[in-house]
Amino acid sequence: MDSPVVEWGLFVVGVLLILVGFVIAPLPGPGGIFLIAPGIALILKTSMWAKRHYVKIKRWQPKAGHWMDWALRRPSHQRREAIRKAEREGAGVPGEGSGN
């Protein structure tokens, strides 16, 4: 992925997936989402501009950002969820696993 040619290629594939997803979206069924989501993921992986806007959206709408991280299977989301789970287990949150 360090090659600029590979990065630009993945960016173009991401844009094409998004465009095809929007063309397919009006058809019956959820077909468009299965192309738009990977397209967005490829663009986020290769574009600093897209990453900056993604962070702005996450700060503006934290709840939506949580769901976007989950949907994109971002490593940072997985790491934060593991930390939250460990904190809940360590703190003995009432109602979670204690039988209360």
Side-chain angles (χ1 to χ4, degrees):
M1 276 258 309
D2 291 336
S3 170
V5 174
V6 173
E7 285 187 13
W8 276 102
L10 289 174
F11 182 80
V12 169
V13 168
V15 170
L16 290 174
L17 284 172
I18 291 172
L19 292 176
V20 171
F22 280 120
V23 169
I24 292 175
L27 298 175
I33 195 71
F34 293 116
L35 296 175
I36 295 171
I40 291 172
L42 282 174
I43 289 174
L44 281 173
K45 194 80 164 160
T46 57
S47 170
M48 285 303 295
W49 174 84
K51 287 178 188 176
R52 283 193 298 269
H53 284 282
Y54 176 73
V55 168
K56 284 182 185 177
I57 290 171
K58 282 180 56 174
R59 288 183 182 150
W60 176 57
Q61 291 289 329
K63 195 175 254 186
H66 169 79
W67 285 107
M68 288 187 296
D69 282 344
W70 176 81
L72 293 171
R73 300 177 191 270
R74 308 235 340 138
S76 59
H77 171 73
Q78 294 169 353
R79 185 176 54 249
R80 283 191 301 271
E81 285 300 313
I83 291 170
R84 283 187 194 120
K85 184 178 178 183
E87 287 174 351
R88 280 193 304 257
E89 290 172 356
V93 176
E96 289 191 24
S98 63
N100 292 342

